[in-house]
Amino acid sequence: MATSAAPPGRCDPRRTLELRGGDRGAGPVIYWMSRDQRSRDNWALLHAQDLALAARRPLVVAFALAPAFLGATWRQYAFMLEGLKEVESDLAALGIGFRLLTGEPPAAVAAFARREGAQTIVSDFDPLRVKRGWVENLCRRVSCPVVEVDAHNIVPCRIASPKLEFGAYTLRPKLRRLLGEFLTPFARVTAHPWNPPAAPATDWDRVAAGLKADRGVGPVEGLKPGPAGGEAALRRFVADRLAFYDEERNDPVADGQSNLSPWLHFGHLAPQRAALDVRAVDNVPAASRDAFLEELIVRRELSDNFCFYNPSYDAVAGFHAWARATLDAHRADPRERLYGAAELDAARTHDPLWNAAQTEMTRRGKMHGYMRMYWGKKLLEWTPSPEEALRLANLLNDRYALDGRDPNGYTGTAWCIGGVHDRAWGERPVFGKIRYMNDKGCKRKFDVAAYVRKSGSPTS
Ligand code: FAD
Ligand code: FO1
């Protein structure tokens, strides 16, 4: 069926970056899907389709299932695999191929691309070290062009700023200046006229059985993984809780957050979709709408900026000089209490509030955003060094949180322990000038006893 040449690029060219040139093979365009695991609202898929339409080629999406990923357990893999099943059938309905590849991702994708004679490979932007390493490795293994598309940030990370930003206050104006050009409606992926050779549907049971992920951390009940689940969660938030977001988002007892982070993390839901839908709501207080957009756009895109431009985003070496100096000056301060990984993991500290936060995360797969700050800061107070505090914060967060292994997480723990994107505060033992938080501050803000009851304690 002849169709017109590709419509004029549906994806803003500023979202794309050619990582390598090369010889265009005679085969399909391949979108190596990783961060943005969805068929709708996906600029990387739209760009890959434009390339395939212009070359009158099939379009195939490849997902490389890593045998291990930053400490991910069965909890996270189960959520992700459920979503990928849905993506496979969404793509099939559009005549777009889906291939689940196993083994080390760059080698698996390179072998697939060579076998198929890929015309071009499109990848989706991700600032994490492991992901950038995968794409660099791929570029050395293939001879066709490889193009990166930022499908996660509303303002592409590389465009928003060419450098590491000090904080929200320095990035916000840069985002604001460009938001009008990038916070635009999504084009739709169309039915693809050149279909890839039929391939057997993925044997998802066999894929799951082949995963070594630690089954000791089980799936979180009651959440519907995948793009449809993410879109439903967004509709529920907008309908029921957006109106109260400004005053309730920092109250761990109220269910005031959107709870969208698992679907945003796996790319089942596009942040831009959430921003477009929330911005269009006109029957809620502007303060709530604006507060949500500040977190969703500024805070989240600040995290990508931090991880992209700071190679030590998950290390004390990545903290600002003032923070390293103040933490060094207080390294020898006596710690009132010291806890190791086992006690912290089991939520067996002296502090019922901290235990409740840890229990919420291990049971629910998500800790309330306000409690994450308290939770992270106590680790600095109760471990022998900032390095150990940061290691344990990332280890526990990535083990239990559905939204873990994310730039937001590494930035969040660096904020808690190293004052990243924060300022210096009054000097005190152990913390130095890093912002301090304690349970008295929490008691002033919300009903601590109610939160402890709600989250349960390890023995309950
Ligand atoms: P909402 O309040 O509804 O916000 C909506 C979205 O805005 C979030 O999903 C997220 O994409 C973005 N957002 C909100 N707050 C922040 C923030 N402080 N920094 C960056 N983006 C933000 N977020 C993760 O996605 N994964 C993590 O592993 C993670 N670990 C964290 C660890 C610590 C120690 C701290 C202090 C924060 C961490 N955060 C993490 C950031 C924030 O707490 C979560 O994004 C938020 O609580 C997710 O729940 P929600 O989607 O209901 O948030
Ligand atoms: N991305 C992949 O391309 N392949 C994987 O096998 C994979 C596993 C995985 C497990 C848990 C998790 O939280 C993320 C995982 N990711 C995987 C990456 C994810 O899609 C996101 O791109 C990043 O974690 C966010 O930057």
Side-chain angles (χ1 to χ4, degrees):
M1 174 182 79
T3 63
S4 64
R10 293 173 288 177
C11 168
D12 188 312
R14 292 173 292 176
R15 286 189 182 281
T16 69
L17 176 70
E18 182 168 85
L19 299 177
R20 62 153 289 141
D23 311 318
R24 299 180 191 289
V29 170
I30 294 173
Y31 164 29
W32 174 13
M33 178 183 277
S34 178
R35 190 176 198 195
D36 296 284
Q37 300 171 26
R38 61 182 181 275
S39 64
R40 295 182 287 279
D41 303 341
N42 186 333
W43 293 117
L45 183 59
L46 282 160
H47 185 64
Q49 184 172 50
D50 284 353
L51 295 176
L53 288 171
R56 307 164 81 80
R57 297 291 175 79
L59 173 58
V60 179
V61 170
F63 186 88
L65 187 63
F69 188 83
L70 298 177
T73 67
W74 176 237
R75 169 174 287 176
Q76 294 88 15
Y77 271 103
F79 191 92
M80 188 178 76
L81 292 181
E82 278 309 301
L84 286 169
K85 276 183 206 170
E86 184 183 325
V87 170
E88 179 180 50
S89 68
D90 289 347
L91 291 169
L94 292 165
I96 297 172
F98 178 87
R99 301 286 182 276
L100 190 102
L101 308 176
T102 52
E104 281 312 311
V109 175
F112 177 65
R114 278 199 306 270
R115 202 165 54 241
E116 297 294 318
Q119 198 263 7
T120 299
I121 300 171
V122 172
S123 70
D124 47 36
F125 172 83
D126 190 321
L128 293 188
R129 182 180 310 115
V130 59
K131 306 293 274 312
R132 297 175 73 176
W134 285 0
V135 175
E136 281 155 22
N137 187 320
L138 173 84
C139 286
R140 290 194 298 272
R141 291 169 178 263
V142 296
S143 55
C144 67
V146 179
V147 179
E148 172 201 87
V149 178
D150 189 335
H152 192 77
N153 293 295
I154 295 169
V155 179
C157 183
R158 295 174 188 272
I159 301 292
S161 169
K163 65 180 178 62
L164 186 66
E165 292 291 335
F166 270 95
Y169 72 100
T170 62
L171 181 63
R172 188 180 300 112
K174 296 176 179 174
L175 292 176
R176 281 223 171 110
R177 221 182 350 265
L178 290 163
L179 214 49
E181 299 172 48
F182 288 101
L183 184 49
T184 59
F186 279 104
R188 294 175 69 87
V189 177
T190 50
H192 202 73
W194 287 279
N195 304 126
T202 306
D203 180 346
W204 292 101
D205 294 338
R206 191 174 55 75
V207 165
L211 272 175
K212 307 262 177 302
D214 177 356
R215 261 60 179 186
V217 184
V220 172
E221 302 304 324
L223 296 182
K224 184 179 180 328
E231 287 156 0
L234 174 60
R235 280 195 301 275
R236 275 198 307 277
F237 169 61
V238 167
D240 305 342
R241 286 175 291 122
L242 172 62
F244 316 106
Y245 183 79
D246 189 35
E247 68 264 23
E248 292 193 352
R249 65 197 166 101
N250 282 329
D251 179 352
V253 182
D255 186 17
Q257 289 191 290
S258 68
N259 298 324
L260 293 176
S261 59
W263 292 281
L264 293 171
H265 164 69
F266 285 103
H268 297 157
L269 178 69
Q272 187 162 338
R273 168 57 57 205
L276 287 166
D277 287 12
V278 165
R279 191 181 63 170
V281 177
D282 55 11
N283 60 349
V284 297
S288 275
R289 192 180 50 224
D290 296 347
F292 179 78
L293 293 174
E294 166 72 12
E295 301 291 343
L296 176 76
I297 300 173
V298 179
R299 279 284 161 198
R300 187 183 48 76
E301 306 206 351
L302 181 62
S303 298
D304 264 38
N305 172 276
F306 178 64
C307 292
F308 185 63
Y309 290 113
N310 186 331
S312 305
Y313 57 77
D314 54 354
V316 170
F319 298 169
H320 286 301
W322 72 265
R324 280 183 276 116
T326 197
L327 288 167
D328 284 345
H330 292 272
R331 272 185 189 281
D333 291 5
R335 268 65 175 165
E336 273 176 40
R337 302 172 185 285
L338 283 175
Y339 290 112
E343 295 150 303
L344 295 166
D345 190 322
R348 278 204 317 270
T349 74
H350 70 289
D351 178 355
L353 178 56
W354 191 93
N355 294 343
Q358 176 67 16
T359 303
E360 180 185 26
M361 179 169 67
T362 52
R363 289 195 183 154
R364 200 180 143 215
K366 183 176 179 293
M367 188 189 298
H368 188 277
Y370 188 86
M371 289 314 302
R372 275 175 139 161
M373 296 189 284
Y374 177 80
W375 175 87
K377 286 194 175 288
K378 289 300 142 190
L379 293 176
L380 175 57
E381 195 170 337
W382 300 336
T383 55
S385 70
E387 288 79 4
E388 183 61 0
L390 192 64
R391 184 186 75 83
L392 287 174
N394 287 328
L395 180 85
L396 293 171
N397 184 68
D398 286 358
R399 179 167 168 77
Y400 294 109
L402 266 175
D403 62 8
R405 295 153 307 287
D406 191 284
N408 293 340
Y410 301 116
T411 307
T413 52
W415 179 90
C416 284
I417 295 158
V420 163
H421 300 148
D422 200 358
R423 62 176 174 84
W425 292 73
E427 191 154 8
R428 54 178 301 121
V430 179
F431 281 74
K433 298 173 190 162
I434 302 294
R435 180 198 297 252
Y436 179 67
M437 287 177 78
N438 66 8
D439 55 348
K440 289 180 193 56
C442 292
K443 285 188 176 103
R444 281 197 301 274
K445 279 194 85 101
F446 62 88
D447 183 342
V448 164
Y451 173 71
V452 171
R453 278 195 307 278
K454 175 183 170 200
S455 302
S457 59
T459 48
S460 68

